[in-house]
Amino acid sequence: MERSCFLLSITFLLVLQLQYSSIGTVGAAQTNITTDQFALLALKSHITSDPHNILVNWSTTTSVCNWAGVVCGARHLRVASLNLLYMDLTGTIPPYLGNLSFLVELDLRNNNFHGTLPHELSYLCRLKFISFKFSNFMG
Ligand SMILES: *[C@@H]1O[C@H](CO)[C@@H](O)[C@H](O)[C@H]1NC(C)=O
Ligand SMILES: *[C@@H]1O[C@H](CO)[C@@H](O)[C@H](O)[C@H]1NC(C)=O
Ligand SMILES: *[C@@H]1O[C@H](CO)[C@@H](O)[C@H](O)[C@H]1NC(C)=O
């Protein structure tokens, strides 16, 4: 599935049009809160050290919107903000994070993330704030 901000905007316009002409919901966003859950669980699985057990309640028994560091938007009930600053987390960023299509804010400052930043993060069209300060990324 090829996606880009441009394609997403086109899709959005299409969806609007379809809704107004009540043809149906063909082309509607294919993602939902389960997509967000998978993306965050992927992130969790890429974290090799969590000394303060910040991510203990990141599990399917708890609603994603109640996970530590996660804030969901009131409108779409999708993950809008991920704040894990100063958590001493060590790990890498999986491409799955690019599926958090409603993410506005991503703050991972002062952790020990390393490796490369996946290009999938460019899918995050709504992102207004991103910070990885003091992490050791390459590329
Ligand atoms: C999310 O979408 C998938 C299919 O794309 C579906 O199987 C799942 O039940 C949906 N989850 C919710 C919470 O709507
Ligand atoms: C998950 O952990 C965070 C931070 O410790 C806490 O604010 C939140 O209430 C917890 N959620 C649940 C459902 O226990
Ligand atoms: C999310 O992202 C991953 C990797 O970028 C991809 O394999 C997966 O199919 C995507 N979609 C969903 C709905 O999880």
Side-chain angles (χ1 to χ4, degrees):
M1 178 170 56
E2 186 67 39
R3 285 197 309 175
S4 71
C5 290
F6 178 69
L7 280 179
L8 276 180
S9 328
I10 298 278
T11 308
F12 183 64
L13 285 176
L14 251 167
V15 169
L16 272 184
Q17 236 173 9
L18 287 173
Q19 278 176 351
Y20 281 126
S21 53
S22 41
I23 291 170
T25 51
V26 185
Q30 306 91 337
T31 66
N32 58 26
I33 189 72
T34 310
T35 318
D36 293 1
Q37 186 191 57
F38 279 142
L40 292 177
L41 286 177
L43 174 63
K44 182 179 180 180
S45 74
H46 282 72
I47 288 178
T48 51
S49 171
D50 175 14
H52 310 299
N53 292 316
I54 301 302
L55 305 182
V56 278
N57 70 13
W58 281 33
S59 81
T60 49
T61 54
T62 306
S63 158
V64 182
C65 298
N66 293 327
W67 290 3
V70 174
V71 177
C72 289
R75 182 131 167 250
H76 300 284
L77 297 176
R78 297 285 302 273
V79 174
S81 156
L82 181 59
N83 290 303
L84 295 172
L85 53 170
Y86 295 97
M87 297 303 186
D88 293 330
L89 301 171
T90 302
T92 55
I93 304 291
Y96 263 85
L97 270 205
N99 290 348
L100 293 174
S101 26
F102 287 82
L103 197 66
V104 175
E105 188 183 334
L106 176 60
D107 196 345
L108 301 177
R109 264 177 290 170
N110 296 72
N111 289 288
N112 300 302
F113 286 104
H114 54 89
T116 52
L117 277 181
H119 69 86
E120 283 81 358
L121 291 185
S122 64
Y123 300 154
L124 302 173
C125 303
R126 292 165 199 252
L127 207 56
K128 294 200 170 68
F129 179 88
I130 183 167
S131 180
F132 294 104
K133 219 163 36 164
F134 298 129
S135 285
N136 305 302
F137 286 110
M138 325 230 327

